[in-house]
Amino acid sequence: KKIKYPGERPPQLVLSDRSGSVSIAINHTGSKASPKELAKYAQVMESSLRNAYPDAVWEGIGNEKINGRQVYYFKVITENADGKIFNQMFFTDLDSTLLVCSFNAIEKRIKDWKPIADSMMRSLRVQ
């Protein structure tokens, strides 16, 4: 977790394979959020991602109802010194705060893991 997320505020939960080439991070933030505010968060997050990764390849932006919950998502391929990375971020509200999940996989694992990332997102259950 410290290697993959070296910043001051790493996600609360990170699940990864041993190599760190595939992982999912879950962060129940303290940021106030309601279903009506999610679109606003989506705009801010998209803008931040576009500024941070101007050369990124965007594969999907959207929202859908998943198990009764409005979920927004981004699918983007970024590059670092080690190569391309597929990132799928999805978020919703939980207990009036923002719940953010981020999946990523390195280039040689993208083909196998991209459909699994969608399955994980679509299996989200928030109560």
Side-chain angles (χ1 to χ4, degrees):
K1 185 173 168 178
K2 288 180 183 180
I3 292 169
K4 196 155 182 98
Y5 300 94
E8 290 179 26
R9 294 172 32 194
Q12 294 163 329
L13 177 64
V14 179
L15 303 171
S16 177
D17 66 351
R18 289 185 186 266
S19 68
S21 63
V22 176
S23 65
I24 186 165
I26 301 169
N27 199 20
H28 188 193
T29 72
S31 301
K32 297 274 186 219
S34 69
K36 292 179 181 181
E37 295 170 314
L38 291 174
K40 209 179 326 176
Y41 275 110
Q43 290 174 338
V44 170
M45 287 184 191
E46 179 184 354
S47 179
S48 294
L49 286 169
R50 288 190 185 276
N51 287 334
Y53 303 100
D55 297 328
V57 176
W58 287 78
E59 294 196 342
I61 300 171
N63 69 81
E64 58 186 81
K65 205 82 144 167
I66 298 175
N67 296 314
R69 245 330 176 233
Q70 196 64 41
V71 177
Y72 284 76
Y73 65 87
F74 305 111
K75 299 177 186 181
V76 60
I77 295 179
T78 58
E79 283 197 55
N80 67 14
D82 298 327
K84 294 180 181 177
I85 301 171
F86 172 73
N87 302 277
Q88 184 163 333
M89 176 189 292
F90 49 101
F91 55 95
T92 190
D93 63 297
L94 170 62
D95 297 332
S96 300
T97 57
L98 190 64
L99 176 68
V100 181
C101 303
S102 301
F103 172 85
N104 61 56
I106 62 170
E107 185 171 19
K108 66 182 178 182
R109 313 272 319 262
I110 292 173
K111 184 179 177 189
D112 294 332
W113 281 91
K114 197 186 290 188
I116 295 169
D118 273 334
S119 292
M120 284 190 283
M121 180 180 79
R122 291 197 175 96
S123 70
L124 181 69
R125 293 195 189 281
V126 178
Q127 299 179 351

